[in-house]
Amino acid sequence: MRTIVSIIIPCYNSEQWIAEAIGSCLHQTYSPLEIIIIDDGSTDDSLQIVRQYAAQYPASIFYETGPNRGGCAARNRGLALATGDYVLFLDADDLLEPETIAGQVAAADGRKNVVVASPWRFLQWTGKSWLEIAAPAGHIGDPLVAELRHGDYIPVQALLWPRDLVIALGGWDESLWANQDGDLRLRARLAGCEFVTSAQGGFIYRRYSSNTVSGKQTYRALESKIRVFEKVEEQLRQSDRLEQYKVDLACAFHRLATAAMTQNEELGDRALAHALRLGGRRSVHGTFKHRLLYYTIGLKRKERVVRWLTTTPVARMLGRSQLSVFRDK
């Protein structure tokens, strides 16, 4: 018998997209698949659309609904219901190309400590039409270094996971408000999981708005992002690898401190303290002007200057491209 793959879709108020997401799963060339949809207390017509598909494909689609508890809780519930040897977590507004699962299963080759990444790209809404944007190029070398030092990432929706591996990792951290996928991916890397790639199919990451929970730089989101790296530090310490990766982790904290300082100086200071403790001046990276201002007036004052510039006529005169040289990358 062929390996069963479970596709888990958390759904909250996604009536505009859920049918396309389900359709992209049904059109996979690989079988057998089970599509598990967890409706997270939707108040629009999402649940009605899911019910219609489940009635039409009762052997393939299973769904459950309940109160709104967040995407991580929905994914964990789907994981508990899954019977497949492998799982893929697809968001309700994203898409899979037909050959994606087939390519990933072939690359996994039955191994239980291997996570398989498919090709992926963005589909960005410009306000008038959809524009395809290639995925950012990754850095060569140790992938943990690339993720911490440079912010490289693979969307979790592009990854096929052995189900038992996700369970062994503890599933999704339901206390996090942002970067939950980065947390799971980093835990897997730190646990020694091998990440391999498939050249078939692809995941399409739809970006129709920046107004998402994970995209908003709210206090809860920023604090969660800091906690993800604090968890990484603790895991590195427990495995006696902190000395090896401490500067890379410091760069991650510094990058986050720069982003947080304009929104919440308390959290910016918290992330910066981690960066300086772990890496000192070696944690500072980015454009020459960013580093020059950092060394001259400090990150907090530097970000206040940049924030002031972006809210004055100077911003309109210089334009975003000119102001970007003051950022960390």
Side-chain angles (χ1 to χ4, degrees), residues 69-73 75 171-187 213-214 220-231 270:
R69 297 174 56 213
C72 287
R75 294 181 186 99
W172 291 75
D173 186 340
E174 297 179 21
S175 73
L176 295 175
W177 193 250
N179 201 25
Q180 306 98 324
D181 57 337
D183 172 65
L184 181 62
R185 190 174 54 246
L186 284 165
R187 278 188 280 137
V213 171
S214 60
R220 293 177 71 181
L222 289 168
E223 197 275 336
S224 289
K225 292 176 182 179
I226 292 173
R227 276 199 289 127
V228 168
F229 292 135
E230 289 173 341
K231 290 171 65 177
R270 175 173 157 185

Side-chain angles (χ1 to χ4, degrees), residues 21 37 95-96 110 113 136 149 157 159 191 227 249 281 313:
I37 306 167
L95 304 168
L96 297 174
N113 201 41
R149 182 179 288 265
Q157 303 94 324
L159 298 174
R227 276 199 289 127
L249 183 57
R281 296 188 117 193

